[in-house]
Structures are given as structure tokens and as C-alpha cells.
Amino acid sequence: MENKIQNQYSPDYVSPPGDTLLEVLEERRMTQAELAERTGRPKKTINEIISGKAAITPETALQLELVFNIPASFWNNRERRYREFLAQQEEKERLEKQVAWLKGIPVTAMIKSGWIRLCRDKVEQLREVLNFFAVTSPENWEGIWLKTHINFRKSQAFQSDLGAITAWLRRGEIEASEIACAPYDAKKFQEALQKIRALTVEPPEIFQLKVKRLCAEAGVAVVFVPQLPKTRTSGATHWLNPDKALIQLSLRYKTDDHLWFTFFHEAGHILLHGKRDFFLEGTGVASVNDQEKEEEANKFAADILIPPADLKIFLASVQQFSKANIIQFAAEIGIAPGILVGRLQHDNLLPPSHCNDLKQKLEWA
């Protein structure tokens, strides 16, 4: 994607509307005292408008229209542009002191991903990032994201970067906001999960759209967002509002067994743990340690993918695992063989180096 530098014209100075009023008075050879008398305004008020200390109110603009035959809209627009300029200057001065905050945000990666525009000016780049996060300052960003709790599977072996994690999560929210969903219905979602389980044997170009559609019909938005460097997340879930939940997936491990386990793990949080606020776990970020809920979500994912009773029969019927009996059993229960391989490896029943060619590798288009 081509990243174009964004240039915006911002004047360095906008004169106060009082300057224009003074020009009109001089042109008409009218004194401030006479204008005050004609408008019924105190002379002090007229003087303060000319000096920029007082604003031209809509009422004053109407009076100036009657006196000078210059439309009130002209004076109102002149005042508005001046006040906007003052506000922009104040904001620029405030943001100039906060530019250093960008060092903790993966700006380059976000630009490369097409999430934000590349701006030549550092203050404009800061405004672009704040707009992405829908906040007005780094302090507000911290107030939202450092206090936010999100259920998401994250490697405990590495320290993730908070800026990268929040950018990834925010991108998920943005994409989910564009997905039209029916009001959340737990029963419909459970039914959708059974249909989605059957999609594990399909390639991404088929299952991705069907997963999104089935979940949206039950009130859950599903988005696939590539992880940024140092994000190290595979999935996340939280409620966008009481009627709409979000499941966000990253393809961190790029194999079907990890993708599907992550998806059903996040689905488990939605079904088992209700409409909670964000819940974040892991190291290196603000977190809440709730191992019990993680274990519940893990069990939910494991059991829906491979029913315990079926697995017990399979384990009792084979003396040694082979690609043939793995493929056969996976076909019998209607899941991709890679999922079964991942489960056997996780349970230390199959060496990590065995049967990995049965896992489907996934890549971003």
C-alpha cells in the first residue's frame, strides 16, 4: 500500500474580527462612540471587540448588519474562524508537549498496515494516532486502555508491547463496528458454533466469510486482524455494547489447530462469562489474573472441538498413533485432522515433531 504524506494548510495567523470592524469604521469615517450609540452597545464593549478581548455575538452581528448593511453571517463566520484558529493554536501547543508519547506507539507499523496516514508534521501525526484511538490526549488513552480488561490469549513466554496490543485491539473495534449484527442471542450463538465446527475442514476462503456471517446473525462480530510486531496475541474478546460481542483473531501461530482453538476459546468467554467489561491477562501489561476463567474457556474449546467421550474411545482403540488413524478419527467426528494433532501434542500423547504436515498452514492474503 502506498503511504502518502498528508499535508494540510494551516494559516499561522488569523486576525481577530475586530480588525475588520475597525477597517469598516475607518472606511465609513465612524467613531467607536457613534457605533456604540447606533447599536445601543456600551462603548467599552465596542472597544473590547475591536481589541479582540470580546467576541462578536450573534446578536451583535445582527446589529452590525443593520448599521453597515454587511450580512450578519459575515460577522458570525469571521468570529467563528477566529475562535477556531485560537482553539487550534491552543491544541497545537498542548500536543507539541505530548509528541514523545508516540515513541510507545507502533506508528510505522500502523502506517504500513494502512491503519493511519503518514503525516509530515509530528503534531499532525499525533492527532492522527489520537483519532485512531478516538481519544483527545495520551492521558485519556491511558485512562481507557490501562484500565481496560480484555480476555485474550497471549504468550506468557514473551513480554508484549502495550502500544502494539492496544493498537491491534483498537483496529479490531474499528473493523467490528462496520459489521452489522443482530442483537446477541446465546442460543443462536451456540447453534452457530456447531455449524462453525463443521467448517474446520474448509479452506480459509470458504470458512472466513461463513464464520463472520453465522456469528453476526447471533450478535457476535468476528474480525481477523494481523498482529503488529511485539503484539504476540492470538485472540481477544469483549463486548462492544450489551447486544454485540467481538471476537478478534490474529493467526499468530498460522496453523489451523491454533486458529480454531483460539476461536472457540474466545467463544467460551462470551457464553460462559457474560457481558463483562474488558479483561486483560498476561505479562508486561495491566492485567487481571483469572486463571479459573481461562481454564473454563480452554475446556469449552477443547470439548466442543473433540467431544471427551469420542476422544476416550479413540485413545482406547489405538495402540500407536499414525497419520491414517488420526485422519480417520478426525473425519468420523467431522473436524480437520490438524486440530486432533494439536490436541494430542498438547496432551503429550504425540511428540511435537510428529504429524505436523496434517496441520493446515494459514497465511494472510
Side-chain angles (χ1 to χ4, degrees), residues 300-320:
F300 177 87
D303 290 351
I304 194 172
L305 285 168
I306 307 175
D310 293 336
L311 180 61
K312 184 177 181 180
I313 293 173
F314 171 66
L315 295 179
S317 65
V318 298
Q319 295 182 344
Q320 185 175 357

Side-chain angles (χ1 to χ4, degrees), residues 172-217:
E173 289 182 345
I174 293 172
E175 293 190 14
S177 68
E178 299 173 355
I179 299 176
C181 290
Y184 175 71
D185 187 308
K187 183 178 179 181
K188 287 184 179 179
F189 187 48
Q190 288 176 319
E191 294 172 351
L193 293 182
Q194 291 301 323
K195 295 177 182 178
I196 291 171
R197 180 182 179 278
L199 294 175
T200 63
V201 298
E202 302 289 353
E205 57 268 24
I206 293 179
F207 75 65
Q208 189 172 357
L209 292 177
K210 289 186 177 181
V211 167
K212 287 186 174 183
R213 177 180 57 79
L214 288 167
C215 288
E217 291 172 352

Side-chain angles (χ1 to χ4, degrees), residues 127-141:
R127 294 186 80 256
E128 178 75 3
V129 174
L130 292 174
N131 180 254
F132 173 83
F133 283 108
V135 295
T136 60
S137 70
E139 291 80 13
N140 291 338
W141 174 85

